[in-house]
């Protein structure tokens, strides 16, 4: 055992003060027999306390001044009191039994009460969490409704972008609101952009083929619904999406053209 | 077995000479502790005698496995003093008392006997911080449990332990 740590813990000071349980006292007694250093420490603590407490006493009292009282209690005058067997006192027994029951009941109630309070606390915390979740769900719902309303608008033009070449599995959709010059790109069918790359959206004129960058989607990987509103004031005839190095490119890298879709001509 | 152990063992066998030696080792401490609780010299004198008479009459019940002899008699002293100050007769005479604690009692002594003078106890007491004086008062003079001291001082129970350790260590350092 670590004697130093044991001494430093302060348990020996409490031992001398008489503030430990009977079990702890017994343990320390055994340790003191085995470790002279611990015993020495206890003796020193005790000596300090004895000196300090003694300093409070203003005068000494002579042992002889009460020696007389001592012998009288000890020797001949020690009276023998004959104990008569007591008759059982049923009223007192019942009284005791009742008070013990009552005390037990009180303790039980007290304990129950504590537990209930704890449960209420837990429930309150859970409630707070649930309220937060409902709040979040409501916000989500509201934004989803907004989105739906936007996409259902009669002026919206839907442009499906199909997968190109080796990226045939990819797809995307553009919803174009010519009124407010905005496209909503739904990138659900695109994989996350790999490290160091970004998705870049292009507006295209077909004759001759002229790409105009609509910008990169920097937050693609972290976005939840993968729907992005992008400003587009061009007379677009088609939309394409390419994977470009971070920061985007001047013109689309055709080998990295994932999806492409032509804007349907108005009937 | 130390000399003290031998003395205590004789005391348990009702050896009056051994008891007298133990009395002179500890009676001032017991008197001091009682005075700090009862705050009355006359009462403290009487109670100190009561404590040693109780100790004598219960000598065979002392068990070294359960704690130090000093701790045992200290406990008897506190209980005796606390019983007294709770008693009706004592409450009626309370008007005579002041609320000074042990540090005030020590520092206001006009004269200290040569042994305590030698260690300069007044100066030592003045050097201890109020926090340390307080924990010593609660644990050693008043017999507060760790829990009671922690509630009373509004500090964690672990702090009671370390603070009493620090306080006694400082005291020991200065008494050397």
């Amino acid at each position: 055992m670590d004697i130093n740590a044991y001494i430093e813990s302060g348990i020996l000071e409490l031992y001398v003060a008489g503030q430990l349980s009977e079990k702890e006292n017994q343990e320390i007694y055994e340790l003191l027999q085995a470790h002279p250093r611990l015993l020495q420490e206890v003796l020193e603590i005790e000596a300090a306390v004895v000196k300090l407490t003694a300093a409070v006493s203003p005068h000494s009292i002579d042992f002889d001044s009460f020696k007389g009282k001592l012998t009288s209690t000890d020797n001949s005058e020690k009276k023998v009191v004959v104990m008569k067997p007591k008759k059982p006192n049923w009223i007192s027994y019942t009284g005791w039994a009742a008070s013990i029951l009552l005390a037990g009941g009180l303790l039980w109630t007290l304990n129950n009460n504590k537990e209930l309070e704890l449960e209420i606390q837990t429930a309150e915390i859970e409630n707070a969490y649930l309220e937060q979740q409902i709040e979040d769900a409501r916000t989500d719902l509201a934004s989803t409704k907004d989105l739906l309303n936007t996409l259902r608008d009669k002026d919206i033009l839907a442009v499906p972008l199909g997968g190109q070449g080796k990226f045939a599995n990819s797809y995307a959709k553009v919803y174009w609101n010519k009124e407010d010059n905005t496209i909503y790109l739904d990138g659900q069918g695109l994989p996350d952009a790999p490290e160091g790359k970004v998705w870049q959206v292009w507006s295209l004129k077909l004759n001759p083929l002229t790409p105009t960058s609509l910008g990169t989607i920097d937050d693609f990987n972290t976005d939840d619904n993968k729907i992005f509103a992008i400003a587009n004031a061009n007379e677009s005839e088609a939309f394409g999406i390419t994977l470009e190095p971070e920061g985007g490119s001047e013109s689309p890298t055709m080998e990295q053209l994932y999806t492409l879709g032509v804007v349907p001509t108005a009937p | 077995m130390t000399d003290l152990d031998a003395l205590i063992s004789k005391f348990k066998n009702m050896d009056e000479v051994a008891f007298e030696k133990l009395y002179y080792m500890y009676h001032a401490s017991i008197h001091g502790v009682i005075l700090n609780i009862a705050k009355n010299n006359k009462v403290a004198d009487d109670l100190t005698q009561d404590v040693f008479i109780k100790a004598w009459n219960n000598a065979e019940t002392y068990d070294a496995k359960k704690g130090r002899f000093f701790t045992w008699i200290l406990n008897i002293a506190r209980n005796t003093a606390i019983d007294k100050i709770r008693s009706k007769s004592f409450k009626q005479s309370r008007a005579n008392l002041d609320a000074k604690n042990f540090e005030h009692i020590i520092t206001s002594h006009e004269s200290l006997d040569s042994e305590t003078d030698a260690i300069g106890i007044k100066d030592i007491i003045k050097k201890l911080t109020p926090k340390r004086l307080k924990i010593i008062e609660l644990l050693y003079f008043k017999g507060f449990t760790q829990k009671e001291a922690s509630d009373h001082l509004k500090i964690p129970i672990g702090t009671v332990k370390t603070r009493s350790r620090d306080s006694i260590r400082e005291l020991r350092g200065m008494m050397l």
Side-chain angles (χ1 to χ4, degrees), chain A residues 219-254:
Chain A
D219 58 349
F220 184 89
N221 293 0
T222 51
D223 193 274
D224 272 341
N225 64 12
K226 307 284 185 213
I227 293 180
F228 306 91
I230 301 166
N232 176 30
N234 301 297
E235 282 301 315
S236 310
E237 290 170 355
F239 294 101
I241 301 174
T242 58
L243 195 61
E244 303 290 344
E246 217 156 341
S249 304
E250 286 291 313
S251 57
T253 312
M254 293 317 284

Side-chain angles (χ1 to χ4, degrees), chain A residues 56-202:
Chain A
V56 181
S57 172
H59 56 259
S60 166
I61 309 164
D62 211 48
F63 185 70
D64 294 333
S65 69
F66 73 103
K67 210 175 167 183
K69 293 183 191 170
L70 221 60
T71 24
S72 74
T73 30
D74 181 40
N75 289 344
S76 52
E77 283 178 40
K78 219 176 195 177
K79 284 177 195 161
V80 177
V81 179
V82 183
M83 304 287 282
K84 287 178 196 158
K86 258 193 188 173
K87 282 180 192 164
N89 182 342
W90 291 112
I91 295 178
S92 122
Y93 285 160
T94 348
W96 277 110
S99 49
I100 288 167
L101 275 177
L102 185 65
L106 279 176
L107 277 177
W108 183 80
T109 316
L110 208 71
N111 199 33
N112 249 8
N113 197 26
K114 261 189 191 163
E115 275 173 22
L116 284 176
E117 272 173 14
L118 201 68
E119 275 172 27
I120 290 175
Q121 247 181 21
T122 322
E124 274 172 358
I125 294 169
E126 273 172 12
N127 254 353
Y129 276 133
L130 283 175
E131 276 169 20
Q132 183 64 41
Q133 278 175 15
I134 292 172
E135 188 63 39
D136 289 351
R138 275 194 190 141
T139 319
D140 278 357
L141 185 62
S143 53
T144 310
K145 272 186 180 163
D146 273 355
L147 191 63
L148 195 60
N149 283 340
T150 312
L151 301 186
R152 279 180 171 166
D153 196 293
K154 64 180 165 49
D155 298 326
I156 286 272
L157 208 55
V159 186
L161 312 186
Q164 301 296 305
K166 56 182 175 178
F167 310 118
N169 285 337
S170 309
Y171 63 90
K173 250 177 194 173
V174 166
Y175 301 89
W176 186 12
N177 187 341
K178 288 194 177 178
E179 294 296 302
D180 61 8
N181 294 327
T182 308
I183 64 164
Y184 299 90
L185 170 71
D186 180 355
Q188 191 75 45
L190 291 172
D192 277 356
E195 186 76 31
K197 302 269 184 176
V198 285
W199 294 113
Q200 190 164 4
V201 185
W202 304 91

Side-chain angles (χ1 to χ4, degrees), chain A residues 7-20 22 24-27 29-30 32 39-67 69-71 73-74 78, chain B residues 4 14 16 19-20 23-29 31-33 35 41 45 48-49 52-53 56-57 64-68 70-71 78 102 105-106 109 112 116 119 121 125 136 139-141 143-146 161 164-165 168-169 171-172 175:
Chain A
I7 289 174
E8 287 306 317
S9 77
I11 195 167
L12 297 179
E13 279 76 6
L14 294 174
Y15 175 67
V16 172
Q19 305 306 346
L20 298 179
E22 198 161 313
E24 287 170 306
N25 284 333
Q26 177 101 35
E27 283 165 8
Y29 175 78
E30 275 150 28
L32 295 183
L39 180 62
Q40 186 56 34
E41 184 75 13
V42 165
L43 289 176
E44 282 172 24
I45 292 165
E46 187 175 284
V49 176
V50 168
K51 276 184 195 164
L52 177 71
T53 46
V56 181
S57 172
H59 56 259
S60 166
I61 309 164
D62 211 48
F63 185 70
D64 294 333
S65 69
F66 73 103
K67 210 175 167 183
K69 293 183 191 170
L70 221 60
T71 24
T73 30
D74 181 40
K78 219 176 195 177
Chain B
L4 182 58
M14 309 300 274
E16 215 175 284
F19 182 50
E20 185 171 349
Y23 174 82
Y24 281 115
M25 287 171 77
Y26 299 123
H27 89 283
S29 294
H31 190 232
V33 167
L35 184 62
N41 271 321
D45 290 358
T48 302
Q49 295 193 358
F52 280 91
I53 291 168
W56 179 250
N57 291 338
K65 293 191 178 94
K66 291 181 182 168
R68 303 282 302 164
F70 171 67
T71 308
R78 289 177 193 135
F102 79 93
I105 302 177
I106 293 176
H109 283 337
L112 285 165
T116 40
I119 58 170
I121 194 81
I125 291 298
I136 289 175
L139 291 178
Y140 294 94
F141 283 90
F144 275 45
T145 63
Q146 287 183 79
K161 222 169 164 184
S164 70
R165 163 90 186 137
I168 296 294
R169 183 167 37 196
L171 194 62
R172 280 164 59 187
M175 280 176 173

Side-chain angles (χ1 to χ4, degrees), chain B residues 82-145:
Chain B
I82 288 166
D83 281 352
K84 178 69 181 177
I85 61 167
R86 281 180 185 151
S87 72
K88 213 175 165 187
S89 63
F90 187 82
K91 278 180 183 163
Q92 283 162 351
S93 64
R94 205 174 237 179
N96 311 328
L97 310 172
D98 51 29
K100 284 174 182 169
N101 61 11
F102 79 93
E103 49 168 316
H104 296 116
I105 302 177
I106 293 176
T107 47
S108 62
H109 283 337
E110 304 244 317
S111 66
L112 285 165
D113 62 48
S114 55
E115 194 204 344
T116 40
D117 244 347
I119 58 170
I121 194 81
K122 281 190 190 180
D123 294 336
I124 289 175
I125 291 298
K126 282 176 192 155
K127 278 178 196 153
L128 285 171
T129 61
K131 270 185 185 175
R132 293 189 168 176
L133 286 168
K134 192 74 199 165
I135 197 91
I136 289 175
E137 158 129 41
L138 294 183
L139 291 178
Y140 294 94
F141 283 90
K142 293 202 164 153
F144 275 45
T145 63

Side-chain angles (χ1 to χ4, degrees), chain B residues 135 146 149-151 153-163:
Chain B
I135 197 91
Q146 287 183 79
S150 122
D151 289 349
L153 300 173
K154 298 186 174 61
I155 57 175
I157 253 184
T159 309
V160 172
K161 222 169 164 184
T162 50
R163 191 178 288 174

